[in-house]
Amino acid sequence: MPDTSEILVRPACPEDNSALLDLLRRTPQMGSVTLTFERETDFFSGARVACEVPQVLVAERREHPGRLLGMVDIGQRQQYLNGQPCTVKYLHDLRIAAEGRGGRVLAALFRAIATAMQATGSWMEAVILEDNLVPLGIVGRGRSGLPNFYPNGRITTSLLPGRQSRSRADSGLQIRAATAADAQQLQQLWQQASSRQGFPVYQVRDLLEGSPYYQGLRIEDYWLACIGQRAVGVVGVWDQKAFKQTRVARYSPWLAALRRPYNLYSQLFGGLHLPAVGNTFSYLNLHGLSVLNDDPLIFQALLEHVLVHQVQPQQSLVCGFFDDDPLAQVLRPYRRQTLHSRHFLLSYDHDPRPAQARGPRHVEIARL
């Protein structure tokens, strides 16, 4: 293991907010579109959406405190596993500054992670963009001090432009916004999704009371699919731009030259809008999806309503599914851009996968 004696890893504090925001800006996702995933203007607001109990660790040189070399969040959130509520640690927002690469900062962070895992549980989960697997260099390398990364499925994230419809027949469902009077039905729909591995343990009362875990959401942001008075499906539409942004830092030369004609084409025929360099993408997140018996026709009716009535011009709707989820098939006929990620379970001592029942697994893209 590299010598990490000069690297200090400590819990983040509110005074680190500016340095954390700066680190996110300094660690872009490279590609034909170079992106920065930001949390302006309060990093910790976004952290409280990803996890009910954030645990942010930062790394800095002992002789140069304040200039962050790396960070990671290993917060806790409640999920259903094998039908029962469980506390799961989630490793995310791992960032290593360019001047901190070479192994020491990563090793120091994972030494602190190992201590936390020994104290609170034997495994955690992580979702890593496929494009980041090689740059991060933490999967499948057998590095000393790192946990084992057990592959647990592939996730496809779809960005769907609005104002498109693929409905072939009247579903017979009424789609309407939820109200406080629907709190019990909404809770029941979320409870029935407990059969899906990884579905969050959501409490409507926390939503109504304004918990930071539901920042920016009202009960009216959830859409119910109803048969008569009975709700058989729900999906939320979550605008997170106030605390979570995806900003364009750079386009490759060929894409920069094509951006304006591409946007004109998208405006006329439908497609993803590419903002100018320095601007952010405009998108809404699909959230809290639960449909009776995982019925794809109910999901399609909800999706149709959201795309036609909620997504504005130059906006996209973001949703994600594990590739083996039967509900993922509903997206196939739609125009969309896709990103692919890998889901891992991390452990220092055993493979957690055999203890988890097989079956549809849920991913909440809005909390990644």
Side-chain angles (χ1 to χ4, degrees), residues 139-181:
V139 179
R141 298 287 184 89
R143 285 189 180 183
S144 175
L146 299 191
N148 294 314
F149 283 69
Y150 296 99
N152 200 46
R154 184 177 188 247
I155 297 167
T156 296
T157 300
S158 297
L159 292 81
L160 297 92
R163 302 299 193 263
Q164 58 172 316
S165 176
R166 291 294 183 270
S167 181
R168 295 180 177 85
D170 185 359
S171 66
L173 296 167
Q174 176 194 3
I175 310 297
R176 62 174 179 83
T179 69

Side-chain angles (χ1 to χ4, degrees), residues 229-269:
Q229 298 300 311
R230 181 191 180 202
V232 295
V234 64
V235 71
V237 180
W238 198 350
D239 185 352
Q240 299 183 329
K241 194 172 184 178
F243 54 87
K244 184 178 180 182
Q245 309 87 25
T246 301
R247 191 178 306 277
V248 176
R250 178 182 177 274
Y251 288 109
S252 63
W254 68 268
L255 189 52
L258 292 175
R259 186 182 71 86
R260 289 183 184 276
Y262 173 84
N263 281 343
L264 178 59
Y265 176 89
S266 297
Q267 184 177 350
L268 295 174
F269 301 104

Side-chain angles (χ1 to χ4, degrees), residues 23 62 131 140 184 197 211 242 259 265 289 305 312 318 334 342-344 351:
L23 180 60
R62 294 181 185 276
D131 289 344
Q184 183 175 355
Q197 294 287 69
S211 164
R259 186 182 71 86
Y265 176 89
L289 171 66
H305 179 88
Q312 301 301 313
V318 178
Y334 292 88
R342 300 284 177 171
H343 184 250
F344 295 93
D351 184 349

